[in-house]
Amino acid sequence: MAEPEKPFICYKSGWNIQITPQTAAGWWMFGGWMFLTLPLGGLLFLFMGKDPTTARTVAGVMGFTLAMFGWAWGMIRWMMARSEMVDMEELLKLKRELDARKGRGRRG
């Protein structure tokens, strides 16, 4: 039985990762995550609109920054769980091996 196509593809190379939507459903899911960040911005706007003192500004910006880091971490983990994983280092190793085989055949 064929495995259903995953909505995202994750390219890994060491600590570097890149997650990209690969289906229409993946793009809709990504758009949903981005749309749901609007309430965080709205809360910051409301918080800062009442009394923008220095202490309140620092607290608001720090809280927003921490919330966005948490949001991004959650989104990355959620997308990785629904991603097809591609190890770029493994692919580069395979390419080097294939190139080495091709090179040996030409010299002889």
Side-chain angles (χ1 to χ4, degrees), residues 1-75:
M1 184 180 272
E3 187 176 315
E5 188 176 22
K6 298 204 175 190
F8 301 99
I9 188 163
C10 178
Y11 300 101
K12 285 182 72 171
S13 180
W15 284 93
N16 186 18
I17 64 168
Q18 179 181 353
I19 302 172
T20 306
Q22 73 172 353
T23 65
W27 282 104
W28 280 104
M29 290 176 194
F30 176 71
W33 273 94
M34 292 295 103
F35 180 75
L36 291 174
T37 60
L38 289 176
L40 290 174
L43 287 173
L44 178 64
F45 181 76
L46 291 174
F47 184 76
M48 296 302 298
K50 291 184 180 182
D51 184 26
T53 61
T54 303
R56 192 171 180 92
T57 301
V58 170
V61 170
M62 290 300 293
F64 179 76
T65 302
L66 289 174
M68 288 304 294
F69 275 123
W71 189 265
W73 182 83
M75 182 176 73

Side-chain angles (χ1 to χ4, degrees), residues 81-93:
R82 289 156 181 80
S83 293
E84 179 182 330
M85 299 298 234
V86 176
D87 187 355
M88 297 304 288
E89 290 177 5
E90 188 177 311
L91 288 176
L92 287 172
K93 181 181 172 187

